[in-house]
Amino acid sequence: MPNMNIFVGRQPILNRRGDIYAYELLYRNSEQNTFPDVDPERATLGVLVNTFLSIGVDQVVNHRLSFINFPQGLLEKSLFTKLDPNQVVIEILEDVEFTPLVISRIAAFREAGFKVALDDYILQKKHMKYATELFSLINFIKVDYLNSSVMERRRVESLKERFPHIALLAEKVETEEDFEDAKARGYTLFQGYFFAKPEIVKSREIPSNIALHFHVIQQLNSSDANIDRISGLIEHDVSLSYKFLRYINSLAFEIPNKVASIRQAIMLMGIDEARKWMQVLVLYDMGQGAGNGRNRALVDYSLSRAKFCELVAKDKGKKNSDEYFLTGMFSLIDAIMRTRLEDILALLPLSDEVTRTLNGEHTEIFDYLELAKAMEVLDLDRVKEYARKIGISIDDLSEHSKRAQRWMSQFD
């Protein structure tokens, strides 16, 4: 079975008092605390997906800023305009070429409210061509104390005279001597093994269906995109549904109410933003592979429960059948992710009715979920008990169960 764990590395960035100011987030694909040999663009996508869509940014950085590396390819795209500027610092890698296009993208990030950092920065003559335009946009300059020369550091430090708003960050600080020197030279932020090595934040991934992702993108790219069709496709994938709701809840969207359905989430996000998000997710998931065995079975149970609860709710004339669907969908999410249910529910913008049901409260939806569980294990006594409470015949339940199974399996 493929490894379904997901990882994010983080290293604290400290202020002069020694308090944690932010974390730099680092791509990791195992508990081995080193950067794997992957394309930088894919690494950044991995950090974004794992932090914002799977684990949850608050669990990774505890309400502090996240410094995230952006290689040139991602700077030139507009995929991440919905990241929250109160959470993310755009960290521009040292090999980025400062073209007019890149500088215009930096200006767009600043216009959107983001802070911008230059990573491992060494001042070069060619940069002076755009000096005023570039450095007026920069909030932080990170200087490599381990690998840069004293002369290189002094050239960067001299920028403070013309651009006093820039905060200098000494990184790869490994000795007390380096720390004291950086403080004396006016650095206000510090990062390195002298303070703390990177640590790994670990969670569980949900198996997903790459083929279905492409169905969703195809629908999103259609000139007559149909929200009902798109939401129906997303609802066939627990991983997709979970990440979709995480995206809505984590990033910079104004949500007036709790989300009761995938369709409502798309309406809140908008087709254009949903299309961007799906492109990012599919690009990241390419080559990851889908899970099987235990997790695949749990996902199948979740899907059949979701559809079964929805069908029975519609049979009984419930106008909020979407909430019954989401209850079944996420009824096994703690087992799939091997994480406490309360931690997961805190990340999802589910309605109070759905959340209370998943927490075991006797809501209007509770009997429907218990009926679905009883049907799965053919516990006839419990099936009859809940069928009587709901007021539905065994024959109708059998038909709904068959329809739910067919719906669940149509994308396998």
Side-chain angles (χ1 to χ4, degrees):
M1 176 177 175
N3 186 351
M4 297 305 293
N5 290 321
I6 52 176
F7 308 88
V8 174
R10 68 177 190 182
Q11 186 173 27
I13 295 170
L14 308 180
N15 60 22
R16 293 175 71 90
R17 297 189 303 273
D19 299 325
I20 295 177
Y21 172 78
Y23 288 97
E24 179 175 3
L25 301 187
L26 309 163
Y27 179 71
R28 296 291 186 266
N29 60 6
S30 71
E31 293 185 74
Q32 184 175 352
N33 201 354
T34 57
F35 185 81
D37 184 18
V38 298
D39 174 74
E41 187 168 324
R42 179 172 176 77
T44 295
L45 291 174
V47 168
L48 290 167
V49 169
N50 289 347
T51 300
F52 290 93
L53 304 186
S54 293
I55 301 175
V57 64
D58 289 343
Q59 293 192 42
V60 176
V61 299
N62 193 23
H63 303 288
R64 293 184 173 88
L65 281 173
S66 310
F67 280 61
I68 299 177
N69 293 331
F70 274 67
Q72 185 146 355
L74 291 184
L75 283 174
E76 295 174 353
K77 298 176 182 177
S78 301
L79 293 174
F80 305 110
T81 56
K82 284 297 180 180
L83 290 170
D84 188 345
N86 295 312
Q87 296 175 323
V88 174
V89 174
I90 308 295
E91 186 168 329
I92 300 174
L93 294 180
E94 62 274 17
D95 58 357
V96 168
E97 182 180 355
F98 292 108
T99 64
L101 175 59
V102 167
I103 292 175
S104 70
R105 292 297 300 129
I106 296 172
F109 278 122
R110 288 301 311 276
E111 180 69 22
F114 289 93
K115 293 182 172 64
V116 178
L118 300 181
D119 186 36
D120 290 345
Y121 185 67
I122 295 176
L123 182 61
Q124 301 178 42
K125 287 184 179 179
K126 62 182 180 181
H127 297 163
M128 299 310 294
K129 178 180 179 181
Y130 304 109
T132 301
E133 189 176 5
L134 173 62
F135 294 117
S136 63
L137 298 171
I138 301 304
N139 302 94
F140 308 93
I141 294 181
K142 300 180 73 173
V143 179
D144 184 339
Y145 246 73
L146 181 63
N147 297 310
S148 62
S149 67
V150 172
M151 184 175 296
E152 288 170 334
R153 296 202 296 270
R154 296 298 179 259
R155 283 201 293 266
V156 174
E157 291 157 10
S158 68
L159 290 173
K160 285 282 289 183
E161 296 177 10
R162 289 183 58 190
F163 306 98
H165 67 280
I166 295 176
L168 296 178
L169 191 161
E171 62 177 342
K172 298 181 184 174
V173 175
E174 298 197 351
T175 67
E176 177 75 30
E177 182 182 4
D178 286 343
F179 179 44
E180 293 300 329
D181 178 74
K183 284 198 297 183
R185 300 296 305 180
Y187 291 75
T188 55
L189 297 171
F190 310 89
Q191 178 181 2
Y193 283 10
F194 177 70
F195 309 102
K197 294 183 179 181
E199 60 179 328
I200 300 293
V201 180
K202 175 181 174 183
S203 186
R204 295 283 296 176
E205 178 61 291
I206 304 174
S208 59
N209 183 335
I210 295 297
L212 184 141
H213 291 189
F214 283 110
H215 280 288
V216 176
I217 286 181
Q218 184 180 38
Q219 289 293 317
L220 287 167
N221 287 330
S222 173
S223 59
D224 58 344
N226 183 295
I227 291 180
D228 289 327
R229 171 64 175 160
I230 294 165
S231 59
L233 287 168
I234 292 174
E235 287 169 351
H236 276 85
D237 191 322
V238 178
S239 174
L240 211 52
S241 298
Y242 175 78
K243 290 174 181 174
F244 201 89
L245 292 178
R246 284 290 301 117
Y247 186 84
I248 283 282
N249 205 36
S250 294
L251 307 187
F253 292 96
E254 296 296 328
I255 305 178
N257 299 299
K258 293 291 187 178
V259 175
S261 69
I262 297 297
R263 186 182 190 281
Q264 184 188 3
I266 296 174
M267 295 292 288
L268 286 168
M269 180 184 290
I271 290 291
D272 289 341
E273 194 61 38
R275 183 185 300 114
K276 290 179 184 178
W277 175 81
M278 280 301 305
Q279 290 168 342
V280 172
L281 186 58
V282 170
L283 181 60
Y284 175 69
D285 278 354
M286 284 291 291
Q288 294 294 99
N292 53 35
R294 173 187 178 277
N295 270 46
R296 184 69 259 171
L298 290 173
V299 167
D300 287 347
Y301 276 126
S302 299
L303 291 171
S304 61
R305 280 185 189 181
K307 195 63 178 177
F308 178 81
C309 288
E310 179 192 52
L311 290 170
V312 177
K314 285 182 175 179
D315 188 304
K316 299 306 298 178
K318 301 295 184 183
K319 296 187 181 300
N320 59 333
S321 60
D322 288 331
E323 292 185 285
Y324 289 73
F325 182 93
L326 287 178
T327 301
M329 169 76 79
F330 293 117
S331 60
L332 289 166
I333 194 68
D334 54 336
I336 293 171
M337 296 189 71
R338 299 183 189 178
T339 302
R340 293 189 313 165
L341 181 61
E342 54 265 39
D343 292 337
I344 297 171
L345 293 181
L347 302 175
L348 297 174
L350 298 171
S351 68
D352 291 339
E353 186 80 359
V354 173
T355 300
R356 289 171 52 223
T357 306
L358 292 174
N359 278 322
E361 294 186 36
H362 285 260
T363 65
E364 179 186 271
I365 305 175
F366 179 85
D367 289 346
Y368 291 73
L369 180 60
E370 292 303 306
L371 175 59
K373 295 177 183 179
M375 290 286 291
E376 287 169 3
V377 296
L378 299 178
D379 186 336
L380 295 182
D381 290 338
R382 290 180 65 229
V383 167
K384 291 177 182 177
E385 175 190 351
Y386 287 107
R388 178 180 51 78
K389 286 183 178 181
I390 293 169
I392 190 168
S393 71
I394 299 298
D395 287 342
D396 286 341
L397 289 180
S398 178
E399 182 59 30
H400 292 325
S401 179
K402 291 174 184 177
R403 288 183 61 191
Q405 289 296 319
R406 287 196 299 268
W407 180 87
M408 177 268 293
S409 62
Q410 64 180 286
F411 281 95
D412 286 347

